[in-house]
Amino acid sequence: MAIPAIPAHTTRTALRTTAGAFCAALVLAACSSGGGGQASGSAGSGTTQAASGTRVTVTESEFMLKLSRSSFTPGTYTFVADNHGTITHALSIDGPGVEDARTKDIPAGHSGTVTVTLKKGTYDVYCPVDSHKQMGMDQHIKVG
């Protein structure tokens, strides 16, 4: 007995519906997470305090990284990598107590996150895809 083929438009519609439902669930979860208090501390330009740490936006494109802040103190940070380029990128962080913390591969126009706890020291923030690091997608940040 042959299995009937599913039309491509049906698959695309199902994927769009699933993605939309997932995004809505994330928004609802973020909006409904109580807890009573707000994290204290100062955040630099382009960052906000989040439940999983201070948010740092990293804009990625061919072949550069731009971080939303340049000053870091020890603590937990969520790095949000926004791929503004035309090819796949990712974000990886290495340093004291952090080894190969990374996002999944991020297609053009999408974003990914990685949360790490930074101690005093120097960290390497880079794109681990192919030779992108050697092509300029590499930043060193100093914590402390």
Side-chain angles (χ1 to χ4, degrees):
M1 175 174 203
I3 299 174
I6 299 172
H9 72 277
T10 302
T11 303
R12 283 192 300 272
T13 301
L15 287 174
R16 271 193 229 114
T17 302
T18 302
F22 180 72
C23 289
L26 285 176
V27 168
L28 286 173
C31 291
S32 66
S33 64
Q38 190 170 351
S40 63
S42 62
S45 174
T47 63
T48 57
Q49 288 285 3
S52 59
T54 302
R55 179 185 169 111
V56 179
T57 302
V58 182
T59 303
E60 296 183 303
S61 64
E62 293 79 30
F63 286 95
M64 60 76 100
L65 296 177
K66 182 180 178 188
L67 280 68
S68 63
R69 67 182 297 150
S70 58
S71 176
F72 294 86
T73 57
T76 302
Y77 292 85
T78 297
F79 288 82
V80 180
D82 289 330
N83 185 351
H84 288 219
T86 59
I87 61 176
T88 298
H89 293 297
L91 189 70
S92 187
I93 303 170
D94 291 317
V98 177
E99 186 174 331
D100 293 327
R102 67 166 283 173
T103 65
K104 293 180 180 179
D105 286 354
I106 306 167
H110 293 268
S111 62
T113 62
V114 60
T115 299
V116 294
T117 300
L118 303 179
K119 301 176 184 178
K120 189 174 182 177
T122 302
Y123 292 80
D124 194 13
V125 179
Y126 61 95
C127 177
V129 175
D130 298 329
S131 59
H132 294 187
K133 179 178 180 180
Q134 293 79 9
M135 297 172 77
M137 295 186 76
D138 189 18
Q139 295 278 328
H140 289 86
I141 60 173
K142 187 172 183 176
V143 178

